[in-house]
Amino acid sequence: MSGSEIAPEDAAQHLSDVPEFDQPAAQPSKSSLKKAARREKLAAFKLERRAREKLAKKEKKRIKAEKRAAGELDSEDEPKPKKRRIAGPPFGGRVVVDLGFDKIMTEKEVQSLCSQLGYTYSANRHAGHPFALFFTSLDGKTLARLESLGDASYKRWTNTQWWSEGYERLWDTDPAVKQSIVYLTADSDEELTELKPDETYVIGGICDHNRYKNECLNKAQATGIRTARLPIGTYLADLRSRKVLTVNQAFEILVHWVETRDWESAFHAVIPKRKFDENKGNDKVKSMKPEKADSETVVVSVEELETNDQT
Ligand code: SAH
């Protein structure tokens, strides 16, 4: 060890050798003493409170355990098991929601549509075998509405893609992709029999309270892609019915089919029961105008969906 180095244990000693370190510390002021006392009191109080809270919690737990043992607990008192998605592998298929109808919708319809998009996303998040979910032709009032909801929460929706371009971009680089795309529309002559993991299903992102007919059919034909309607007629008594569903209902049926491979159970799970009942034993073609509750589906906002979803 060289002479200039100081071993740590000598350091204090060394410092006290220096005259200025020998000086008694300046007397603390009255107010700083008071402050220190207050701090100490507060710290003690906090410790005490924490100990009290801990005890209370323990006691509550003990009482609950006693009640449970005695069979005195109501089912509401019992903690609800958390709903957890049993995540399976993705289905493989793609669903595209075509938002290219913005200009022919009213502001209110756009609002309803955006709620339906929220439900669609939520259903996919909770699906056992989710789809790859694309939203195309995002623009105009729809874009503005989504931007205004939950601080543009749609941008944080997992496993979604948002394009300002139309779905035609899907076959930009490979025209053969076109063969694997099916536009779903109630106006098609073709009936969908099954979903295939290597196909893409387009849902028209339009809420129009049945003002329009053939909008999606015409668009699909103009862009040269196949069309198909969901096989609802086969399962509803009224075979001639043209059942027009909302975006999220159409999507949820696809999700259920993937899970059950059974159209009937998928329709029963998604379409309100009265829709089936009202068709029972009825041979006359009914007006297929969906009732308000079905076509609007504005129950919770997209923000609410988002927060509920984060659990
Ligand atoms: N009035 C619009 C339809 C709006 S319904 C039109 O003229 O096309 C919204 C979307 O849900 C449709 O574009 C379609 O993709 C889907 N959809 C609703 N009912 C359907 C059905 N019975 N079969 C297949 N797709 C359906």
Side-chain angles (χ1 to χ4, degrees), residues 96-162:
V96 170
V97 179
D98 170 18
L99 301 174
F101 304 95
D102 188 81
K103 287 194 175 65
I104 61 169
M105 279 186 283
T106 66
E107 194 70 51
K108 266 201 103 174
E109 286 166 348
V110 166
Q111 285 178 20
S112 302
L113 172 68
C114 289
S115 294
Q116 294 175 17
L117 301 183
Y119 287 118
T120 300
Y121 166 65
S122 179
N124 201 43
R125 258 189 71 118
H126 295 103
H129 307 280
F131 287 93
L133 192 52
F134 287 56
F135 297 85
T136 58
S137 298
L138 174 63
D139 195 15
K141 300 189 285 277
T142 310
L143 173 61
R145 175 70 180 166
L146 286 171
E147 286 286 329
S148 77
L149 290 171
D151 196 19
S153 59
Y154 76 100
K155 288 183 178 160
R156 298 183 293 280
W157 291 1
T158 46
N159 296 323
T160 58
Q161 285 205 31
W162 297 83

Side-chain angles (χ1 to χ4, degrees), residues 252-264:
E252 283 167 39
I253 286 170
L254 305 186
V255 165
H256 274 276
W257 185 87
V258 168
E259 249 132 69
T260 60
R261 307 280 153 149
D262 178 353
W263 287 116
E264 186 165 14

Side-chain angles (χ1 to χ4, degrees), residues 174-241:
D174 180 8
V177 170
K178 223 169 165 173
Q179 317 298 320
S180 64
I181 304 175
V182 185
Y183 209 126
L184 300 182
T185 163
D187 300 316
S188 178
D189 288 335
E190 299 296 319
E191 198 166 78
L192 200 63
T193 51
E194 58 173 346
L195 303 178
K196 297 179 185 149
D198 56 354
E199 288 193 331
T200 298
Y201 301 95
V202 184
I203 296 177
I206 172 171
C207 167
D208 62 323
H209 302 104
N210 266 8
R211 261 186 303 120
Y212 303 108
K213 214 190 155 204
N214 298 333
E215 275 294 328
C216 297
L217 182 75
N218 293 342
K219 185 168 179 179
Q221 286 172 347
T223 46
I225 59 174
R226 279 186 288 150
T227 61
R229 62 171 194 274
L230 292 166
I232 304 174
T234 310
Y235 301 98
L236 286 167
D238 183 351
L239 298 185
R240 280 161 288 186
S241 63

Side-chain angles (χ1 to χ4, degrees), residues 8 61 79-80 84 158 168 195 217 228 231 254 261 266 268 294:
K61 224 172 154 183
K80 305 249 178 321
R84 285 209 186 280
T158 46
E168 295 92 333
L195 303 178
L217 182 75
L254 305 186
R261 307 280 153 149
H268 275 288
D294 289 346

